[in-house]
């Protein structure tokens, strides 16, 4: 449709310079044709009278094979030919000469049309980029033979038609052109633009010249048709009816009808079909199909189909235009009403405008901290306030400036909270919130003591590392409470955008400052306690490296002038106290770890978990569930079983979840039993009311009967199948056990007409623990009560704490020279290397102890680490592997209740390992009495608390021969 618009505009511009007297045009338009009369009814009286006529109309009309007897309009055209020729002889603007006739053109220059075909009776501007072709057209016009053949270019996949068509010559160009085209008159040539007027249909027969392409053509005539055929009449009237619908919606089509009837004359059936197709917005393939069809009826049907599509497109266009117009008008109306409302309020003094109110708000914020705001920040604020007054409230820059001022003025410049450096108070708070962790608490108290002497508590970035659930975040919260600082926590796990740390530039849409600036605005002080959680899980994406951005944030030497990208003014973060948490410090980048002081929290042993569950978790959970202490009794055996069989991890988070699960079930049962007691109480009251009228003896009888019914119903409630948990409830009764409170009264008090109280108490013990939390998840980590040959217990460290790890070896195949080692258990590269080293060391020791043995040389050994679905890797299994191989080779089991850890060199030296506390806790949990540690880890073991070391026989070794003597001793 856009192409139709451009052609229409150019079409009318071409027509304007060529005018004829009104007498000539009247002879063209005065016609009695019914088609013309139908279309003339659409013509608006506002259009100017026709005054232009083209002499070729007579030729076009006479060339129609179907219209041998010309219509009245055509006769009028022929009658006016004389006047036209006279006018052409006088006026220099006449286009067509009287010497050369169109039907004499049998050899024409082929002009390619890239976009759409040219129909007879229509104008078309064409840009000719081929200089030779343009020169040939100009020569034809100069030689008074201003005709060319206009042929549509065929579509080629993956090609630009306009760009490539003029690069083709001769037969290649001919193959790209449709055979059927239009004889076109060259009306004018202006630069490389040629104005064409279509006359009649042509068909290419053969090529005459290659450059420019010249072809021989045959003139095509429409097939004969019956003008009185009812089908043709019906189809033509339907076309006219469709034109009527389109003309009511589009002024462009109305202009086409006006221009066509002015310059061409009346409509007959072939012209009607060509007219409808030419002004439609169909694609060029469909238009070429109309041009090639010589059957008038079929051409009318094709045109009707194209015009019906135009009607549908016009309807959709109207719908879209109407929707957009309604939306725009509604927004304009709302905007005008809002502006009027603002003006009215301003005149009445009810409200100031937006800029004045905003400026007043920002000024009020500044006045509160005017003496504390740094000069460079104050200067920026004043400049932005001045800029805000000059901007329009509706502009986007106004919103950017307003948000920027909002952040600048909302920050707590120079506002600090009063710190409390009372060490005894901090000790009390830490003991209230956490049990154990004496080494961690001691380090924190040292930190607070230094802060008291210095007057400030910054300068160090402390990192709390340990498994999940050991209380790293809650320790940070306790420190903030002890120091009387505002607490702010944000997690950086998975953070991959540097802008989250340093802010976005204000040039971005939706820009915001970084997390620390948001923190300062949120807490309202310039010295908060900031806990950066999961710092070992920092991501790294396309938006930069956040770990590197954290350096400026955390480094005490740099953060005094921290520059946020959004604020673009230095901020003093030196008074902020930063604490970090991590599970594995090895994942923290080295430059960042270098600026931290790491405090390790290894986890809790069973005794510590029991105290934490009793003193902290159980009490807190009971209060959160709304249960009174006298309603529940939680035995130590139940807690111990819960810890050992359900919650073996290093932390206590899962233990808290299990306790919460138990108390939720207890709360549900208490509510159900309370509802049952209320219903029984109502029934008892009704029974009393009935018996009150009778004698007292009858009342006692009814009351006893009610008590029996109460006991029976309570017993039924306890055995109800719909209850989700089988919990032992003990109701108050004169014969109840001593585990519950006895508030029963003597039976003689029944005479006083008092109803006995029913008090429930839930006992959670080791025997009924499965009713609350299901079957045990863990079983004993010790797979073997008596260690068999080739099996040794090792100690391993994981992110969840310590654990025991068996290493098993067995002989698969024996034969001379078949010595080999097969490894399984999803071992990492480090443990695979350890196994190879262990085999080498074991062969050397076996050769020393039993020189005649050829076990390793003649045996294929299979070494396996159980739990093959779990990846295992680490430098601490060497000595365990050697011991397992020697046990298999010498057929001697190792000492009972022995566990070991340590890496071995090829010379038998034992290297130090990590995670001493975690491994000690794991060994103690498995009932191990004897532990072997490298001698270099003696210092780490000595730092453990006494309750962890209690009951353990620990040996520190430097060479593997000491382990051999210990593991294979005769004791």
């Amino acid at each position: 449709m856009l192409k139709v618009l451009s052609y229409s505009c150019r079409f009318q511009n071409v027509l304007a310079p060529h005018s004829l007297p009104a007498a000539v045009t009247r002879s063209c338009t005065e016609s009695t044709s019914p088609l013309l009369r139908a279309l003339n009814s659409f013509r608006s009286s506002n259009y100017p009278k026709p005054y232009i006529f083209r002499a070729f109309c007579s030729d076009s009309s006479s060339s129609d094979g179907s219209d041998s007897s010309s219509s009245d309009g055509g006769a009028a055209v022929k009658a006016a030919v004389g006047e036209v020729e006279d006018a052409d002889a006088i006026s220099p603007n006449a286009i067509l000469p009287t010497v050369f006739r169109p039907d004499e053109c049998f050899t024409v220059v082929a002009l390619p049309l890239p976009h759409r075909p040219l129909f007879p009776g229509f104008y078309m501007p064409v840009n000719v980029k081929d200089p030779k072709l343009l020169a040939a057209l100009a020569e034809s016009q100069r030689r008074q033979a201003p005709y060319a053949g206009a042929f549509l270019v065929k579509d080629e996949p993956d090609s630009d038609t306009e760009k490539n068509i003029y690069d083709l010559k001769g037969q290649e160009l001919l193959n790209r052109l449709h055979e059927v085209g239009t004889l076109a008159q060259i009306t004018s040539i202006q630069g490389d633009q040629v104005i064409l007027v279509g006359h009649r249909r042509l068909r290419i027969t053969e090529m005459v010249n290659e450059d420019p392409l010249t072809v021989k053509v045959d003139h095509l005539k429409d097939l004969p048709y019956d003008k009185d055929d009812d089908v043709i009449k019906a189809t033509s009237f339907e076309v006219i009816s469709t034109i009527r619908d389109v003309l009511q919606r589009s002024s462009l089509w109305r202009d086409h009808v006006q221009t066509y009837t002015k310059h061409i004359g009346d409509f007959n059936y072939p012209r009607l079909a060509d007219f409808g197709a030419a002004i439609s917005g169909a694609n060029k393939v469909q238009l070429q199909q109309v041009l090639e069809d010589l059957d008038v009826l079929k051409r009318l049907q094709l045109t009707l189909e194209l015009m019906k599509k135009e009607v549908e497109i016009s309807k959709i266009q109207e719908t879209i235009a109407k929707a957009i117009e309604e939306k725009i008008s509604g927004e304009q109306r709302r905007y005008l009403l809002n502006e009027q409302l603002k003006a009215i309020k301003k005149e009445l003094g009810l409200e100031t405008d937006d800029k004045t109110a905003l400026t007043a708000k920002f000024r009020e914020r500044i006045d509160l901290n005017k003496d504390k705001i740094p000069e460079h920040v104050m200067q920026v604020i004043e400049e932005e306030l001045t800029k805000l007054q000059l901007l329009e409230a509706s502009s986007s820059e106004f919103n950017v400036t307003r948000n920027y001022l909002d952040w600048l003025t909302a920050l707590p410049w120079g506002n600090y909270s009063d710190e409390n450096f009372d060490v005894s108070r901090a000790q009390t708070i830490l003991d209230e919130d956490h049990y154990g962790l004496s080494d961690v608490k001691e380090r924190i108290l040292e930190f607070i003591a230094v802060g008291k002497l210095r007057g400030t508590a910054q300068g160090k970035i402390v990192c709390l590392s340990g498994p999940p659930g050991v209380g790293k975040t809650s320790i940070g919260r306790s420190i903030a409470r002890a120091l009387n600082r505002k607490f702010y926590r944000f997690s950086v796990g998975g953070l991959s955008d540097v802008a989250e740390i340093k802010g976005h530039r204000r040039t971005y849409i939706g820009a915001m400052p970084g997390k620390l600036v948001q923190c300062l605005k949120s807490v309202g002080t310039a010295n908060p306690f900031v806990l950066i959680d999961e710092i070992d899980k920092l991501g790294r994406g396309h938006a930069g490296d956040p770990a590197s951005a954290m350096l400026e944030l955390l480094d005490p030497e740099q953060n005094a002038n921290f520059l946020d990208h959004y604020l673009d003014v230095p901020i003093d973060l030196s008074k902020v106290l930063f604490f970090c948490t991590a599970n594995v410090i090895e994942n923290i980048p080295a430059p960042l770890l270098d600026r931290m002081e790491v405090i390790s929290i290894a986890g809790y042993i069973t005794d510590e978990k029991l105290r934490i569950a009793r003193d902290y978790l159980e009490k807190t959970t009971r209060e959160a569930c709304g249960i009174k202490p006298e309603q529940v009794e939680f035995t130590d055996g139940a807690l111990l079983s819960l810890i050992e069989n359900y919650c073996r991890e290093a932390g206590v988070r899962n233990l808290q979840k299990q306790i919460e699960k138990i108390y939720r079930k207890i709360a549900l049962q208490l509510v159900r039993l309370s509802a049952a007691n209320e219903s029984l109480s109502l029934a008892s009251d009704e029974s009393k009311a009935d018996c009150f009228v009778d004698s007292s003896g009858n009342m006692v009888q009814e009351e006893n009967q009610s008590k029996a019914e109460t006991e029976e119903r309570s017993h039924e409630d306890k055995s109800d199948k719909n209850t989700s948990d089988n919990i032992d409830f003990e109701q108050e009764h004169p014969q109840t056990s001593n585990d519950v409170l006895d508030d029963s009264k003597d039976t003689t008090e029944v005479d006083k007409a008092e109803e006995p109280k029913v008090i429930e108490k839930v006992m959670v013990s080791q025997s009924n623990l499965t009713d609350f939390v299901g079957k045990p998840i863990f079983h004993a980590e010790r797979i073997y009560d008596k260690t068999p040959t080739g099996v040794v217990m090792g100690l391993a460290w994981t992110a969840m704490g310590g654990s025991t790890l068996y290493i098993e070896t067995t002989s698969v195949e024996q034969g001379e020279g078949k010595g080999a080692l097969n490894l399984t258990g999803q071992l990492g590269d480090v443990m695979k290397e350890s196994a190879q080293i262990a085999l080498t060391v074991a062969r050397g020791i076996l050769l020393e102890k039993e020189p005649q043995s050829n076990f390793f040389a003649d045996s294929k050994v299979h070494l396996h680490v159980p739990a093959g679905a779990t990846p295992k890797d680490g430098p601490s299994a060497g000595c365990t592997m050697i011991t397992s191989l020697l046990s298999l080779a010498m057929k001697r089991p190792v000492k009972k209740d022995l566990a070991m850890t340590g890496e071995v060199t090829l010379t038998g030296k034992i290297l130090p390992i990590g995670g001493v506390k975690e491994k000690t806790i794991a060994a103690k949990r498995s009932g191990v009495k004897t532990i072997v540690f490298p001698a270099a880890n003696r210092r780490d073991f000595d730092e453990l608390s006494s309750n962890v070391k209690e009951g353990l026989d620990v040996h520190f070794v430097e060479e593997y021969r000491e382990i051999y003597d210990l593991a294979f001793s005769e004791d």
Side-chain angles (χ1 to χ4, degrees):
M1 183 58 75
L2 293 176
K3 294 174 182 177
V4 173
L5 288 171
S6 63
Y7 294 152
S8 172
C9 296
R10 295 177 180 178
F11 173 43
Q12 297 185 21
N13 292 336
V14 170
L15 290 177
H18 310 290
S19 60
L20 288 176
V24 178
T25 58
R26 282 196 297 271
S27 66
C28 284
T29 58
E30 293 174 358
S31 175
T32 60
S33 172
L35 296 177
L36 183 58
R37 287 199 301 269
L39 287 174
N40 283 341
S41 63
F42 310 140
R43 296 173 61 180
S44 173
S45 59
N46 296 330
Y47 282 88
K49 296 299 181 181
Y51 58 90
I52 303 175
F53 179 70
R54 296 297 178 197
F56 74 89
C57 293
S58 60
D59 297 326
S60 177
S61 175
S62 64
S63 65
D64 257 329
S66 63
D67 196 12
S68 57
S69 58
S70 176
S71 62
D72 296 340
V77 172
K78 289 181 179 180
V81 168
E83 296 183 26
V84 175
E85 291 178 353
D86 294 338
D88 287 342
I90 297 172
S91 174
N93 292 329
I95 296 177
L96 298 179
T98 58
V99 178
F100 197 86
R101 295 176 58 85
D103 52 7
E104 298 176 358
C105 297
F106 295 103
T107 301
V108 294
V109 177
L111 179 62
L113 301 179
H115 299 300
R116 53 192 290 128
L118 174 62
F119 283 89
F122 275 82
Y123 284 73
M124 176 181 287
V126 179
N127 291 324
V128 180
K129 300 179 181 178
D130 187 355
K132 289 187 178 181
L133 178 58
L134 187 62
L137 295 177
E139 180 65 20
S140 298
Q141 186 184 30
R142 187 180 62 81
R143 294 172 55 189
Q144 298 182 345
Y147 294 98
F151 300 95
L152 182 66
V153 178
K154 297 178 182 178
D155 284 335
E156 287 288 334
D158 301 329
S159 66
D160 188 348
T161 303
E162 285 189 70
K163 182 178 180 181
N164 299 331
I165 190 62
Y166 293 107
D167 297 335
L168 302 179
K169 304 295 180 184
Q171 189 62 39
E172 291 183 350
L173 177 60
L174 184 62
N175 294 336
R176 286 289 303 275
L177 301 179
H178 285 276
E179 288 186 359
V180 179
T182 309
L183 180 65
Q185 179 185 2
I186 305 171
T187 62
S188 66
I189 300 177
Q190 300 176 359
D192 61 349
Q193 188 180 65
V194 180
I195 308 299
L196 304 176
V197 179
H199 277 259
R200 59 184 64 187
R201 289 169 170 79
L202 301 174
R203 174 177 276 115
I204 299 175
T205 58
E206 61 176 307
M207 182 175 64
V208 178
N209 189 15
E210 291 188 354
D211 193 15
L213 180 61
T214 307
V215 295
K216 286 186 178 182
V217 295
D218 287 342
H219 292 250
L220 302 179
K221 295 183 179 181
D222 296 328
L223 298 178
Y225 65 94
D226 186 4
K227 292 188 293 185
D228 298 328
D229 185 14
D230 294 337
V231 177
I232 292 180
K233 285 183 180 181
T235 306
S236 63
F237 282 119
E238 182 63 24
V239 173
I240 294 173
S241 176
T242 307
I243 293 176
R244 184 194 303 273
D245 293 340
V246 176
L247 290 178
Q248 292 176 356
R249 292 181 170 86
S250 175
S251 61
L252 174 64
W253 282 53
R254 194 178 301 117
D255 295 341
H256 279 301
V257 174
Q258 294 286 335
T259 307
Y260 194 90
T261 55
K262 287 177 186 177
H263 309 302
I264 305 303
D266 64 341
F267 283 89
N268 53 28
Y269 297 127
R271 288 178 181 172
L272 182 64
D274 290 344
F275 173 80
I279 64 177
S280 69
N283 60 55
K284 62 181 183 179
V285 178
Q286 294 173 324
L287 296 179
Q288 180 66 25
Q289 187 178 359
V290 176
L291 183 66
E292 293 178 356
D293 207 320
L294 301 180
D295 188 345
V296 176
L297 175 59
K298 190 174 181 181
R299 194 190 304 169
L300 283 170
Q301 292 174 345
L302 292 173
T303 300
L304 179 61
E305 181 181 349
L306 299 180
M307 295 179 65
K308 288 292 185 183
K309 292 181 181 179
E310 289 296 323
V311 173
E312 295 301 323
I313 293 174
S314 299
K315 291 180 180 179
I316 297 174
Q317 181 181 356
E318 282 187 357
T319 304
I320 296 173
K322 185 177 180 181
I324 294 176
E325 183 178 356
E326 289 178 355
K327 181 179 179 181
I328 293 176
S329 61
E331 292 178 354
Q332 288 178 343
R333 183 171 179 270
R334 190 179 300 109
Y335 174 76
L336 291 175
L337 290 176
N338 284 331
E339 291 298 322
Q340 291 176 2
L341 180 62
K342 291 179 183 178
I344 292 172
K345 287 184 176 182
K346 189 174 181 180
E347 288 294 330
L348 296 176
L350 299 177
E351 183 179 308
T352 58
D353 61 348
D354 291 342
K355 290 192 288 187
T356 305
L358 283 173
T359 304
K361 181 181 75 172
F362 295 145
R363 289 289 182 187
E364 183 179 354
R365 290 182 182 177
I366 295 171
D367 292 339
L368 295 176
N369 301 320
K370 195 168 186 179
D371 297 335
K372 300 178 182 179
I373 299 178
E375 293 183 3
H376 62 278
V377 177
M378 196 67 195
Q379 182 179 358
V380 173
I381 293 175
E382 292 293 343
E383 291 176 355
E384 292 296 324
L385 283 173
T386 305
K387 178 181 177 182
L388 188 70
Q389 293 296 323
L390 300 176
L391 294 173
E392 290 293 333
S394 58
S395 66
S396 59
E397 187 68 19
F398 179 85
N399 293 325
V400 173
T401 305
R402 180 190 62 187
N403 293 336
Y404 182 53
L405 279 170
D406 185 46
W407 280 102
L408 275 179
T409 56
L411 292 181
W413 301 101
N415 289 333
Y416 302 104
S417 58
D418 295 333
E419 292 183 282
N420 191 330
F421 295 109
D422 188 349
V423 176
S424 59
R425 177 176 176 271
Q427 178 77 55
T428 304
I429 291 175
L430 291 174
D431 290 339
E432 286 177 358
D433 296 343
H434 303 276
Y435 175 79
L437 304 177
S438 57
D439 52 344
V440 178
K441 292 179 182 178
E442 190 70 19
R443 177 63 188 88
I444 293 171
L445 293 177
E446 293 172 1
F447 181 81
I448 295 175
V450 171
K452 184 175 183 179
L453 297 178
R454 291 184 55 193
T456 181
Q458 60 267 352
K460 292 288 185 181
I461 290 54
V462 179
C463 179
L464 301 174
S465 69
V470 296
K472 300 185 294 296
T473 304
S474 59
I475 287 176
R477 199 181 300 273
S478 300
I479 297 173
R481 187 158 69 95
L483 291 174
N484 195 31
R485 288 201 181 200
K486 296 288 185 179
F487 180 78
Y488 186 85
R489 170 191 172 273
F490 71 93
S491 177
V492 295
L495 187 69
S496 60
D497 191 356
V498 174
E500 292 292 329
I501 306 295
K502 302 200 67 176
H504 304 81
R505 302 286 182 185
R506 291 200 304 278
T507 53
Y508 300 142
I509 296 175
M512 290 184 64
K515 285 289 186 182
L516 257 296
V517 177
Q518 298 177 34
C519 160
L520 296 179
K521 181 181 178 182
S522 176
V523 300
T525 61
N527 62 337
F529 181 94
V530 178
L531 182 69
I532 303 175
D533 221 350
E534 310 292 349
I535 198 169
D536 59 327
K537 299 178 180 63
L538 269 174
R540 183 169 185 175
H542 66 279
D545 183 12
S548 300
M550 294 288 291
L551 294 177
E552 182 184 358
L553 179 68
L554 298 179
D555 193 349
E557 303 297 329
Q558 301 181 46
N559 60 13
N561 293 306
F562 177 75
L563 188 64
D564 185 86
H565 290 163
Y566 181 84
L567 296 183
D568 206 22
V569 292
I571 306 173
D572 185 9
L573 298 180
S574 60
K575 302 296 189 297
V576 179
L577 184 57
F578 291 100
F579 262 62
C580 305
T581 67
N583 296 130
V584 183
I585 60 174
E586 286 78 8
N587 295 338
I588 303 176
L592 193 59
L593 184 63
D594 182 62
R595 290 163 170 82
M596 297 179 182
E597 181 178 347
V598 179
I599 300 179
S600 178
I601 304 177
Y604 303 101
I605 61 175
T606 302
D607 295 340
E608 291 176 337
K609 284 187 177 181
L610 186 62
R611 290 290 302 271
I612 292 171
R614 175 64 70 190
D615 298 341
Y616 300 91
L617 304 181
E618 195 252 345
K619 177 182 177 182
T620 305
T621 306
R622 185 178 64 243
E623 294 176 353
C625 293
I627 300 175
K628 298 179 180 178
E630 61 269 14
Q631 292 179 299
V632 179
E633 182 174 347
F634 215 128
T635 65
D636 290 342
L639 285 175
L640 187 61
S641 178
L642 190 66
I643 293 168
E644 292 182 346
N645 298 330
Y646 297 86
C647 311
R648 285 188 178 178
E649 67 282 346
V652 294
R653 182 175 291 124
N654 191 37
L655 178 61
Q656 182 180 6
K657 292 178 182 178
Q658 296 293 342
I659 294 175
E660 290 173 351
K661 182 178 181 180
I662 293 172
Y663 271 100
R664 285 197 303 268
K665 292 184 179 295
I666 293 174
L668 177 61
Q669 295 299 330
L670 290 177
V671 171
R672 284 178 174 173
L673 189 57
S674 177
N677 289 337
E678 288 179 1
S679 61
L680 291 177
S681 178
L682 293 175
S684 177
D685 292 341
E686 293 176 358
S687 173
K688 287 181 182 179
D690 293 338
C691 299
F692 189 77
V693 182
D694 298 333
S695 62
S696 60
N698 291 333
M699 181 184 68
V700 172
Q701 183 178 0
E702 294 292 337
E703 188 174 90
N704 292 335
Q705 183 178 357
S706 176
K707 183 185 296 183
E709 292 177 356
T710 301
E711 294 177 357
E712 183 178 356
R713 292 179 183 178
S714 176
H715 180 70
E716 291 176 357
D717 289 338
K718 289 168 59 180
S719 61
D720 191 357
K721 293 182 180 180
N722 294 329
T723 55
S724 59
D725 306 289
N726 298 323
I727 302 175
D728 293 338
F729 289 103
E730 300 181 6
Q731 297 184 357
E732 188 64 30
H733 195 271
Q735 284 80 25
T736 53
S737 62
N738 294 330
D739 292 335
V740 297
L741 295 178
D742 188 2
D743 291 334
S744 63
K745 298 184 179 180
D746 194 81
T747 54
T748 58
E749 295 182 2
V750 176
D751 299 335
K752 299 180 182 180
E754 289 187 9
E755 189 72 21
K757 292 184 179 180
V758 180
I759 299 177
E760 308 85 15
K761 188 169 187 178
V762 181
M763 176 74 71
V764 182
S765 61
Q766 187 175 359
S767 60
N768 66 349
L769 184 63
T770 57
D771 298 333
F772 294 95
V773 291
K775 298 298 181 182
I777 300 175
F778 299 103
H779 299 283
E781 288 189 3
R782 296 190 61 177
I783 303 176
Y784 308 101
D785 292 332
K786 184 177 180 180
T787 308
T789 302
V791 178
V792 180
M793 180 189 290
L795 299 175
W797 178 92
T798 65
M800 299 296 293
S803 64
T804 57
L805 195 70
Y806 280 96
I807 292 181
E808 304 173 345
T809 56
T810 184
S811 177
V812 178
E813 185 180 1
Q814 288 187 347
E816 186 176 355
K818 290 189 176 181
L821 180 63
N822 185 23
L823 304 176
T824 57
Q826 199 169 352
L827 306 181
D829 293 338
V830 175
M831 290 192 71
K832 289 178 181 179
E833 292 178 358
S834 297
Q836 296 295 333
I837 296 172
L839 179 63
T840 302
V841 176
R843 295 184 69 165
I845 294 177
L846 182 64
L847 183 62
E848 179 184 343
K849 301 294 182 181
E850 299 180 4
Q852 72 280 3
S853 176
N854 295 324
F855 177 81
F856 291 114
D858 300 336
S859 300
K860 183 178 181 180
V861 177
H862 183 180
L863 187 148
H864 175 66
V865 183
T870 304
K872 292 171 280 290
D873 199 15
S876 63
C879 63
T880 313
M881 291 179 178
I882 295 175
T883 308
S884 177
L885 291 170
L886 290 175
S887 174
L888 177 66
M890 296 187 299
K891 296 182 176 55
R892 295 173 58 185
V894 299
K895 182 179 178 181
K896 185 181 179 181
D897 296 335
L898 172 67
M900 61 187 69
T901 179
E903 189 57 58
V904 182
T905 66
L906 282 174
T907 58
K909 292 290 184 180
I910 306 297
L911 301 179
I913 47 89
V916 172
K917 182 176 181 181
E918 291 87 346
K919 293 179 179 180
T920 305
I921 294 173
K924 197 169 184 180
R925 184 169 58 235
S926 297
V928 173
K929 304 299 183 182
T930 307
I931 303 178
V932 177
F933 280 130
N937 292 111
R938 183 187 296 271
R939 177 181 58 85
D940 301 323
F941 185 81
D942 292 340
E943 293 178 354
L944 299 181
S945 57
S946 58
N947 59 342
V948 176
K949 298 185 290 185
E950 184 180 359
L952 294 177
D953 182 17
V954 182
H955 298 266
F956 299 97
V957 297
E958 293 183 356
E959 294 185 353
Y960 180 78
R961 286 175 176 77
E962 301 177 40
I963 299 178
Y964 179 87
D965 296 338
L966 183 66
F968 299 104
S969 62
E970 299 296 335
D971 295 340

